[in-house]
Amino acid sequence: MPIAKDGYSSLRYDAQSRDWTHYRSLVLHYRLDGTPTLHLGVRLDGSTDGKARSNLETYLQSGRHTTAIPLPSHQQESSDILSALHTLTLFSSGGMEGVLTIEELRLE
């Protein structure tokens, strides 16, 4: 995913109404080149109309690393989102320029 100077780029994944309630984190194996750090956001959409969503975030460091992004706790609203997840969107912000290579994305 090239990160443009404007700082907004995204990668969208169709989760096809999957149930993620028994997972605790989204694990990302990545390589980041061209910027020392990157503010990465993760949006989980649990509704086709886009009204029920949860935003997660983390900071990625330059080089090759693994990070685990905790999924929302099992509160009622979060549980509803994770029980019928339709879309996973990764996005960047912060005005940096670089390239993020996602080598593996998995749930634990």
Side-chain angles (χ1 to χ4, degrees):
M1 171 172 36
I3 309 302
K5 278 188 178 178
D6 64 12
Y8 295 97
S9 301
S10 68
L11 175 67
R12 186 174 175 179
Y13 170 73
D14 181 2
Q16 302 173 354
S17 298
R18 306 250 168 120
D19 183 352
W20 286 21
T21 54
H22 57 283
Y23 296 107
R24 299 281 185 233
S25 60
L26 181 66
V27 179
L28 184 68
H29 295 267
Y30 70 91
R31 189 181 77 238
L32 179 61
D33 299 311
T35 184
T37 60
L38 174 71
H39 181 215
L40 181 74
V42 180
R43 191 176 74 227
L44 305 175
D45 289 324
S47 173
T48 55
D49 64 11
K51 290 180 182 175
R53 60 179 54 152
S54 176
N55 290 305
L56 312 173
E57 61 182 33
T58 190
Y59 287 89
L60 304 181
Q61 301 299 316
S62 180
R64 181 173 270 133
H65 301 281
T66 300
T67 190
I69 304 166
L71 293 174
S73 64
H74 294 289
Q75 301 166 359
Q76 184 60 38
E77 181 181 326
S78 296
S79 184
D80 289 345
I81 292 169
L82 295 177
S83 66
L85 187 67
H86 293 282
T87 307
L88 165 69
T89 305
L90 301 176
F91 59 93
S92 65
S93 62
M96 296 293 200
E97 189 171 305
V99 175
L100 174 63
T101 303
I102 299 170
E103 298 172 344
E104 182 182 13
L105 188 64
R106 71 174 189 276
L107 294 166
E108 288 187 349

